[in-house]
Amino acid sequence: YCLSMFPYPSGKLHMGHVRNYTIGDVRSRFKKMQGFNVLQPMGWDAFGMPAENAAIHHQVAPSKWTYENIAYMRKQLQSLGFALDWEREIATCRPEYYRWEQLLFTKLFEKGIVYKKLGTVNWDPVDQTVLANEQVIDGRGWRSGALVEKREIPMYYFKITDYAEQLLADLDGLDWPEQVKTMQRNWIGKSRGMTVRFQVAADSREGLPESHREFVQVYTTRPDTLMGATYVAVAAEHPLAAAAAEGNAELQNFIAECKAGSVAEADMATMEKKGLPTGRFVINPLNGERLPVWVANYVLWGYGDGAVMAVPAHDERDFEFATKYGLPKKQVVELIEPQPYNEAEWQEWYGAKENTRLIHSGEFDGLDFQTAFDAIGAKLQQSGAGEAKTQYRLRDWGISRQRYWGCPIPIVHCDTCGDVPVPAEQLPVVLPENVVPDGMGSPLAKMPEFYETACPKCGGAAKRETDTMDTFMESSWYFFRYMSPAFSDGMVKPEAAQYWGAVDQYIGGIEHAILHLLYARFFTKLMRDEGLVKVDEPFERLLTQGMVVCETYYRENADGSKDWINPADVDLTFDDKGRPVSAVLKADGLPVVIGGTEKMSKSKNNGVDPQQLIDAYGADTARLFMMFAAPPEQSLE
Ligand code: ANZ
Ligand code: ZN
C-alpha cells in the first residue's frame, strides 16, 4: 500500500503535487516490478475554506467549484500517466464518505471520547471562524491576516489527551524521519513535575470561591527550586485574579486585555511580559515565607493549574518578569564548580540541572537535581502540600468550525433531552450543497430547512447543530476508506482492512508533520478500539518530500494587503552577476516587489503550472525532471 497525501481540489495541480505523486508512482512501480500487489489510490480532500472563499468571490456554490476542480485535476493527473487505481477514487465531501465519520462521531460521543464544553478559542473576526493555535501567526489569522481575538463558545472536543501516552510511545516503532518524530514528541510535550499547593494567607481570602479559598495550586517541573520562589503568578482567568479585581479598575482592564490576546503558546513565549500585583499573598509550603501573588500575561490558563511558582533566578520567563517589576531573585541552585552570580549571564547555566547542588534551601542544601526533586516531593506529599504529576502539552482537539463547507456535526439540540446524537439509521446528516455563502458566519445557521428537526429521543421540536467539523477529520481516515471505497456498511470492510493492514509507504509534505499525521494516528487508535481495524499505526514508513519553491512577487494595496503576482506574469532585470534586481508586471510594465523564495502556494500565487511543462515536453520529461533536480527530501527550485 503506497499512498501519497491526497490533494485539496484547489483548481489545478501544482508542482508540489507533481513531485509528491511522481515519488509515490516511482515507488509503486518499483514494488510492482518486484512482484507485489500494489495499491496506489487517489482522492480528494474536498471540504475546506478555499471553496467558501471562492464561492463568496464568484457567487458559485462551493460544491460546484469543488466538483469542477476535481474533474479538471483528475484529467491532469491522468495525463501525467500515474499508475493510480481510479476505481477507488473518493471525495470527502460526498455523503457516502462522511456518513461513516458521523457514525464514528456519534459512537465516540456516547463513549465520552467526544464531549462538549465551552472553549476559549482564537477567533478570526474577518473569516468569522475559530482558528487552531498553529493557524495564528504573530497574533494574526494565517489566511486573513486579521488580529485574532479570544472567545468563549460551546465546542465539541476529541479527547486526544487520553491517547497522549500511546501516541508518544508508538512513535518509537515507526520508520519515519527522526525530525518528524521529534516534532510529534514535542507537540505531545510530556513533562514530569509536581503539583504544589500554596496556602492562601488568612488576610487574602476575600471574594475567593470555595474551590480556590484555601490554596493556589501550581504545576512545576522544578520543585527542587521551591525555596527560590519569590512570587506566585496566576493567569488572567484565575479566580484569584477575578476576586482581586473587585473594585480595582486597573486590574480589571489588565485582565480584559490579557483575555483578548492570542492563546497561541508560541506567542506567549515571545511576547512582552506584563503583570500587576493582586495585593493577595500565599504561603510557601516549605519555609512558610509570605509571597505576593501577581497576575501575569505569560501564565496560560489552559496549562497545568493556570498558576506558577515563580523562581526568577532559575527560570527565564520569571527572570524577565522579576527584572521588569523589581521583584527579588533568590538563587537556590549552583554549579558544583561554583561561579559568581552574574545576572547578565545567568541564562547560560542558571537553568542547569546537571552538576548542580542546592543552596539557601535549609535541610536540602547540597542535593543534586533528582535527589532534591524526590526529597522535596516527599516532604510536600507528607504535609499534603503536593504530589507528583505528569503533564502533557497536548490539548484536546476542538473540532467545531462555524463554517458551511464541512461535514455536519450529527447532534440535535433538544430543550428536554439536551445534546442528542443522530441515530445511525438517520445518518448521514446531509450538507445541503447548492448554497452560496455570503461570508458572514455560517449559512447553515440561517437555514431553518436544515436546522429545524425532531428530537430523535422525545420527538419534540429540536434544532440541529449547525457547526461543521474540522476538515482534518476527513483526512484522518481516508487511507482506510480506499481499502473498500464503496463499502456500504461502515468505514472499512473488515476483510479489506485485514488484507491491507496499514499504509506501507506514505509520502507527503513536511508541513503535515504534526497535525495531519497526529490526528491520523489518533483516528487509527480510535478505530482500532472500535474494532474496525487491527493496526495500531496508520503509516509504517514515511517519506516527507521537500518543498517545491519559487520566487514571489507582489504589490501592496493602500490598506496594507498584498496582491501576489505569478512569476509567469513578471519580467525581471538582472545585475551582472545574474541576480534579479527589479521586476515589472508584463501587462503594464510597472514595478512589482520581489518577495523572496517561498514554497509554491496558491496564497502567494507563485506556482509554476505543470501543464506548461507537460504540454511542451511531455509527462515523462516533467516527471523525470521532478525526480532528478533534487533528492526527494530536499527542496526543489
Ligand atoms: C517553577 C520553575 C522553576 C519552573 C524553574 C521552571 C524552571 P513544561 O516543562 O513545559 O511542562 N508553568 C506551569 N504552569 C504554567 C502555566 N499555566 N503557564 C505558564 N507557565 C507555566 O513547563 C513547566 C514549567 O512551566 C513549570 O515549572 C512552571 O515553571 C511553568 F527554575 O515552576 B516552573
Ligand atoms: Zn428530546
Side-chain angles (χ1 to χ4, degrees):
Y1 189 176
C2 180
L3 182 66
S4 295
M5 292 180 182
F6 67 166
Y8 178 78
S10 53
K12 48 192 180 175
L13 288 188
H14 57 65
M15 287 294 183
H17 294 130
V18 178
R19 188 177 198 195
N20 195 164
Y21 304 143
T22 303
I23 295 169
D25 199 48
V26 167
R27 177 95 193 147
S28 293
R29 279 172 197 249
F30 176 69
K31 281 295 179 186
K32 195 165 183 192
M33 291 168 89
Q34 285 185 324
F36 287 92
N37 181 26
V38 178
L39 171 56
Q40 186 183 223
M42 184 51 72
W44 311 97
D45 190 12
F47 276 137
M49 286 201 355
E52 280 186 58
N53 295 340
I56 295 159
H57 209 81
H58 305 298
Q59 288 301 303
V60 37
S63 59
K64 184 165 187 289
W65 183 85
T66 303
Y67 294 133
E68 284 173 7
N69 289 349
I70 288 176
Y72 182 78
M73 290 168 75
R74 184 194 300 115
K75 240 176 56 200
Q76 284 193 300
L77 281 176
Q78 287 169 343
S79 79
L80 276 158
F82 298 129
L84 295 164
D85 184 348
W86 286 105
E87 286 175 12
R88 293 173 186 263
E89 179 183 359
I90 56 177
T92 58
C93 62
R94 299 294 310 154
E96 312 87 81
Y97 181 80
Y98 64 69
R99 67 175 296 178
W100 306 115
E101 195 171 299
Q102 291 178 333
L103 180 63
L104 181 71
F105 182 98
T106 58
K107 286 186 171 169
L108 296 174
F109 185 77
E110 275 153 8
K111 262 184 161 180
I113 291 174
V114 173
Y115 65 97
K116 192 182 180 186
K117 71 165 184 190
L118 271 190
T120 307
V121 294
N122 302 304
W123 179 255
D124 184 321
V126 169
D127 274 344
Q128 296 275 304
T129 193
V130 175
L131 300 175
N133 282 347
E134 51 292 339
Q135 292 176 321
V136 182
I137 294 148
D138 296 330
R140 292 174 182 274
W142 65 307
R143 209 174 270 282
S144 71
L147 268 184
V148 168
E149 301 162 6
K150 275 189 197 174
R151 263 211 188 177
E152 292 247 298
I153 57 167
M155 307 228 303
Y156 291 91
Y157 284 84
F158 271 66
K159 235 189 226 174
I160 191 171
T161 51
D162 272 7
Y163 287 75
E165 193 54 49
Q166 279 184 55
L167 288 166
L168 186 64
D170 289 351
L171 281 172
D172 295 340
L174 297 177
D175 186 0
W176 285 20
E178 210 43 55
Q179 177 202 6
V180 176
K181 293 207 261 185
T182 302
M183 286 162 85
Q184 296 238 335
R185 283 189 193 106
N186 291 343
W187 189 259
I188 295 166
K190 183 173 184 171
S191 95
R192 289 183 190 80
M194 288 198 70
T195 296
V196 181
R197 281 177 289 278
F198 289 70
Q199 196 163 47
V200 180
D203 59 4
S204 292
R205 298 189 174 179
E206 199 192 320
L208 286 176
E210 201 60 53
S211 56
H212 288 75
R213 230 179 131 68
E214 294 275 321
F215 298 104
V216 172
Q217 181 164 300
V218 307
Y219 174 71
T220 177
T221 47
R222 296 296 306 272
D224 58 307
T225 63
L226 183 47
M227 295 287 218
T230 57
Y231 65 99
V232 162
V234 299
E237 294 85 349
H238 197 282
L240 192 145
E246 274 300 308
N248 179 343
E250 195 190 0
L251 194 51
Q252 277 167 17
N253 288 339
F254 177 66
I255 290 171
E257 186 192 315
C258 289
K259 285 183 178 171
S262 155
V263 293
E265 243 173 82
D267 296 335
M268 288 282 180
T270 53
M271 72 188 174
E272 194 197 341
K273 313 260 174 306
K274 282 190 200 165
L276 278 178
T278 61
R280 310 289 176 109
F281 291 84
V282 293
I283 310 296
N284 185 329
L286 215 50
N287 58 10
E289 221 175 289
R290 204 173 139 91
L291 302 177
V293 181
W294 284 61
V295 183
N297 67 348
Y298 70 94
V299 183
L300 289 165
W301 181 234
Y303 189 66
D305 296 294
V308 304
M309 59 178 240
V311 186
H314 301 287
D315 179 85
E316 187 171 353
R317 293 161 298 180
D318 302 340
F319 180 88
E320 194 184 322
F321 192 84
T323 305
K324 179 167 176 182
Y325 292 107
L327 289 157
K329 303 178 180 115
K330 183 180 162 200
Q331 184 187 2
V332 290
V333 177
E334 69 173 8
L335 292 184
I336 297 217
E337 298 286 324
Q339 297 186 8
Y341 184 84
N342 178 347
E343 253 194 24
E345 287 172 20
W346 74 280
Q347 296 178 41
E348 285 178 20
W349 56 275
Y350 261 53
K353 296 195 289 191
E354 264 161 56
N355 292 319
T356 60
R357 65 183 162 215
L358 283 204
I359 54 169
H360 304 141
S361 296
E363 62 187 285
F364 305 104
D365 277 357
L367 300 184
D368 66 20
F369 167 72
Q370 196 55 55
T371 318
F373 187 111
D374 296 341
I376 290 177
K379 176 124 187 189
L380 291 174
Q381 186 131 22
Q382 245 171 32
S383 62
E387 57 274 325
K389 181 164 185 202
T390 297
Q391 174 92 36
Y392 298 88
R393 173 164 287 112
L394 185 68
R395 315 290 163 76
D396 280 344
W397 175 19
I399 61 97
S400 306
R401 297 292 179 272
Q402 295 64 46
R403 308 210 65 90
Y404 156 66
W405 190 236
C407 171
I409 293 176
I411 295 283
V412 169
H413 305 294
C414 168
D415 284 341
T416 317
C417 313
D419 300 325
V420 182
V422 176
E425 62 278 10
Q426 290 176 28
L427 293 176
V429 177
V430 176
L431 182 75
E433 285 205 351
N434 293 314
V435 176
V436 181
D438 59 10
M440 301 308 296
S442 167
L444 294 180
K446 299 175 223 162
M447 292 175 65
E449 65 273 33
F450 174 76
Y451 64 71
E452 280 177 357
T453 186
C455 169
K457 253 193 196 156
C458 72
K463 190 168 180 282
R464 265 187 214 295
E465 175 61 59
T466 56
D467 281 1
T468 55
M469 297 182 197
D470 182 357
T471 57
F472 273 120
M473 292 277 293
E474 286 80 57
S475 53
S476 292
W477 68 282
Y478 75 108
F479 41 90
F480 285 125
R481 189 64 185 166
Y482 282 139
M483 295 173 179
S484 53
F487 187 52
S488 56
D489 206 23
M491 291 176 115
V492 55
K493 192 174 176 180
E495 296 84 346
Q498 177 72 34
Y499 178 77
W500 291 108
V503 174
D504 294 294
Q505 174 73 63
Y506 198 33
I507 302 149
I510 186 79
E511 68 274 22
H512 294 298
I514 299 180
L515 293 183
H516 162 57
L517 292 174
L518 190 69
Y519 294 147
R521 296 180 59 220
F522 173 47
F523 249 66
T524 300
K525 293 171 197 303
L526 292 174
M527 289 173 66
R528 176 202 63 196
D529 292 350
E530 283 292 313
L532 297 168
V533 299
K534 297 248 162 63
V535 294
D536 296 318
E537 286 287 332
F539 314 123
E540 281 173 19
R541 295 181 75 193
L542 174 69
L543 186 151
T544 45
Q545 98 254 5
M547 291 176 188
V548 184
V549 299
C550 192
E551 301 85 44
T552 58
Y553 306 96
Y554 66 88
R555 275 180 182 164
E556 201 161 323
N557 297 314
D559 65 359
S561 65
K562 286 171 179 163
D563 284 334
W564 297 94
I565 296 157
N566 193 273
D569 301 327
V570 168
D571 270 332
L572 292 170
T573 38
F574 300 93
D575 66 10
D576 48 14
K577 293 206 176 73
R579 290 174 305 210
V581 282
S582 67
V584 296
L585 186 66
K586 279 180 185 166
D588 60 15
L590 297 171
V592 298
V593 184
I594 302 179
T597 300
E598 297 207 43
K599 179 194 167 189
M600 281 189 186
S601 75
K602 206 162 179 156
S603 63
K604 296 273 155 68
N605 191 17
N606 63 338
V608 172
D609 190 351
Q611 203 59 48
Q612 293 171 2
L613 269 186
I614 299 166
D615 292 345
Y617 309 107
D620 287 339
T621 311
R623 291 160 49 117
L624 184 61
F625 174 78
M626 297 309 279
M627 293 303 288
F628 130 89
E633 287 91 353
Q634 285 175 26
S635 63
L636 183 152
E637 211 168 320

